[in-house]
Amino acid sequence: MSNEYSHSVILREDRCIGCTSCLKVCPTEAIRVRDGKAKIISDRCIDCGECIRICPNHAKSAITDDLNMMKKFKYNIAIPSLTIYGQFPSNISISQILTSIKRIGFDEVVEDTIGADISIFLIKEYLLKKPGMEFPLINSSCPAIIRLIQIRFPDLIPNIITIETPVEITARIAKTEVAKRKGIDIKDIGVFFITPCTARVTSIRNPLGITESYVNGAISIKDIYGEIVRNLGDNNNLIKGISTRESILWPIAGGQASALGIENYLAVDGIHDVIKVLEEVELGKLEDIDFIECSACTGGCVGGPLVIQNSFIAKNRLMKHAKKVDISKYTKEDLDRFIKMYEDGFIRLTEKIEPKSVMRLDKDLSKSIHKMELVTEILKNLPGLDCGICGSPTCRAFAEDIVKGENKKAVCMIKTMNGFKSKNL
């Protein structure tokens, strides 16, 4: 695997008019406007997709994989995000959607239910009760949140639950089972996730907590939606769905925490609200909470930047589907098997998540402190409006860019205009 970090969110400079809309929504201040064009600071970007949503000129977009990638493998498995069931009218069954996906050219379609149910069961019956855990536990299922913690809240890394994401668990189980059942080399099996999420694309290419993902590609729901629709209609030989009530509600904000059946939890969605809660956790104010479910997207995964349907409509449809399926049922023997898979490292984060010190002013601590003092002095002479006209998201970011030598043409327009007015009064 290449050591080069690959982002899914990209900027199309030809479409950018330097309007600064994206500056205000980026949670890690990863965007600047220089010479009339937005620039993405790669080290800070967590691929949350907020800039894609806000850009009026569609200058931000996502790089995902396409169906041609299947040609690289002898056997191809599709794992559709559970979010996909909410993208179609509720009279279209889960079985119809799964069958339509298979008809596109996949050899097999495996529901993400497998990973979601295992995650729920393990967290509820094992990890919440395991000695030595750092509370509150923070879910590990949202890749944008994990990157956010790595960059902005590194002290909270120990609070992240060390279980793999549902799609990774599903991929690992599906890939190994197909290899045994079909006698195919695991390297010849391609697993493709149909994703609502830009951060998920990045997490597959640059995984955190594991050395390599078992998922080979990520296809945007937006890109494959038309193909799925074209293959609907023939209701013969439909795939029987195995979704459970708990798993179908997983993509909805609060669905994970609710499935755990615990009362002492927080479910927060929307990355800016997540930041506010994580700030409280960092200050030690929420140690009495057992579990925090964090979703970068408003509404949960149903609000992802790569979906077709409005998140409120998708949520309604998922809730209708949930009423039609059974609750998950696992035995003590199942739990013992899941625990072994976890402890053996098969469905667990086995690699340490290292903090990324991109928010520091300098790698050298003494130099960083000196630069912080310079930032404070510069801030005294700035208006504090955080208008973004200068091309930096806030006055502090403007001062930091000057101190770090990243903006040699720095001009505060408000300060300049005020000075111009006072001279002409």
Side-chain angles (χ1 to χ4, degrees):
M1 180 177 284
S2 172
N3 290 324
E4 185 179 347
Y5 196 93
S6 174
H7 284 285
S8 60
V9 175
I10 61 166
L11 169 71
R12 300 185 186 277
E13 282 199 9
D14 58 315
R15 297 181 183 178
C16 180
I17 61 170
C19 68
T20 75
S21 294
C22 53
L23 288 182
K24 300 188 172 57
V25 298
C26 181
T28 55
E29 296 186 347
I31 302 174
R32 300 290 187 271
V33 174
R34 299 286 183 259
D35 300 319
K37 300 287 184 181
K39 308 290 182 185
I40 298 175
I41 303 172
S42 179
D43 287 345
R44 289 189 175 214
C45 179
I46 60 173
D47 295 282
C48 61
E50 289 295 304
C51 56
I52 293 177
R53 274 189 256 267
I54 198 70
C55 183
N57 298 293
H58 306 290
K60 314 293 191 306
S61 61
I63 297 177
T64 57
D65 298 303
D66 60 39
L67 294 170
N68 287 326
M69 193 176 174
M70 288 196 292
K71 296 175 183 177
K72 295 181 179 181
F73 303 94
K74 293 179 180 178
Y75 195 92
N76 291 289
I77 303 169
I79 302 177
S81 164
L82 294 161
T83 305
I84 206 164
Y85 305 145
Q87 305 302 300
F88 298 88
S90 51
N91 64 321
I92 297 177
S93 70
I94 290 175
S95 291
Q96 286 175 289
I97 295 169
L98 295 174
T99 305
S100 180
I101 292 171
K102 187 174 187 294
R103 287 171 183 156
I104 292 172
F106 292 99
D107 297 290
E108 201 167 313
V109 180
V110 179
E111 289 189 84
D112 206 13
T113 288
I114 296 170
D117 281 347
I118 290 175
S119 294
I120 293 165
F121 202 42
L122 263 180
I123 293 169
K124 180 180 179 180
E125 301 296 338
Y126 182 58
L127 296 176
L128 279 170
K129 302 173 183 177
K130 190 177 181 181
M133 302 298 282
E134 291 278 347
F135 287 93
L137 295 180
I138 300 172
N139 65 311
S140 59
S141 55
C142 180
I145 298 300
I146 303 306
R147 303 276 176 184
L148 175 71
I149 291 173
Q150 185 189 32
I151 288 173
R152 284 194 59 169
F153 303 97
D155 289 344
L156 300 184
I157 289 176
N159 294 73
I160 298 171
I161 294 177
T162 56
I163 189 170
E164 252 303 342
T165 61
V167 61
E168 189 65 39
I169 293 172
T170 303
R172 289 173 178 230
I173 292 172
K175 214 169 195 178
T176 51
E177 286 185 354
V178 166
K180 291 177 183 177
R181 179 166 29 101
K182 299 286 185 179
I184 304 173
D185 190 315
I186 203 163
K187 293 179 181 178
D188 292 325
I189 302 171
V191 173
F192 296 88
F193 183 54
I194 302 174
T195 180
C197 172
T198 47
R200 180 67 63 203
V201 180
T202 305
S203 72
I204 291 168
R205 297 170 181 168
N206 314 279
L208 273 177
I210 55 175
T211 54
E212 189 171 359
S213 175
Y214 273 55
V215 183
N216 300 98
I219 301 170
S220 163
I221 287 178
K222 281 184 177 180
D223 290 344
I224 203 171
Y225 185 80
E227 289 293 328
I228 298 173
V229 172
R230 277 190 282 275
N231 282 281
L232 288 170
D234 183 359
N235 292 330
N236 294 317
N237 302 314
L238 294 179
I239 297 171
K240 183 177 172 62
I242 60 168
S243 288
T244 62
R245 189 170 303 165
E246 293 89 342
S247 66
I248 288 180
L249 296 178
W250 181 280
I252 300 172
Q256 299 173 40
S258 177
L260 294 176
I262 57 175
E263 296 181 0
N264 192 24
Y265 72 85
L266 285 179
V268 54
D269 58 298
I271 197 155
H272 296 287
D273 285 324
V274 168
I275 287 170
K276 293 174 185 176
V277 169
L278 293 181
E279 286 172 345
E280 294 290 297
V281 177
E282 196 173 45
L283 292 171
K285 294 182 178 181
L286 297 177
E287 291 178 350
D288 57 331
I289 300 293
D290 291 334
F291 178 79
I292 302 180
E293 175 194 325
C294 298
S295 302
C297 297
T298 302
C301 298
V302 291
L306 302 181
V307 298
I308 291 290
Q309 193 52 260
N310 174 282
S311 63
F312 296 100
I313 296 172
K315 176 182 176 180
N316 174 267
R317 291 171 175 175
L318 285 173
M319 292 177 75
K320 286 179 180 177
H321 281 303
K323 291 178 181 178
K324 300 175 186 176
V325 298
D326 295 329
I327 61 171
S328 60
K329 296 175 183 177
Y330 287 104
T331 64
K332 175 66 168 60
E333 289 73 24
D334 289 326
L335 178 60
D336 291 340
R337 180 164 54 89
F338 299 155
I339 290 173
K340 187 176 188 310
M341 290 165 66
Y342 173 83
E343 294 295 348
D344 287 348
F346 186 63
I347 58 172
R348 177 168 57 87
L349 301 180
T350 54
E351 303 295 314
K352 185 179 179 181
I353 299 175
E354 297 290 348
K356 289 183 72 174
S357 57
V358 298
M359 309 298 277
R360 289 183 185 175
L361 295 175
D362 199 287
K363 292 180 180 179
D364 183 282
L365 182 59
S366 61
K367 290 181 180 179
S368 183
I369 292 171
H370 175 63
K371 287 181 179 180
M372 194 178 297
E373 291 170 351
L374 292 176
V375 167
T376 302
E377 287 302 311
I378 294 172
L379 279 171
K380 290 177 182 178
N381 296 298
L382 295 176
L385 297 176
D386 296 339
C387 62
I389 296 173
C390 63
S392 297
T394 64
C395 289
R396 172 168 286 277
F398 174 79
E400 289 176 355
D401 290 346
I402 294 172
V403 168
K404 292 164 72 176
E406 294 174 356
N407 187 5
K408 296 178 181 179
K409 300 178 182 179
V411 176
C412 174
M413 294 303 297
I414 302 298
K415 188 81 173 172
T416 301
M417 288 301 295
N418 287 340
F420 178 78
K421 286 178 182 178
S422 62
K423 287 179 181 180
N424 288 274
L425 285 177

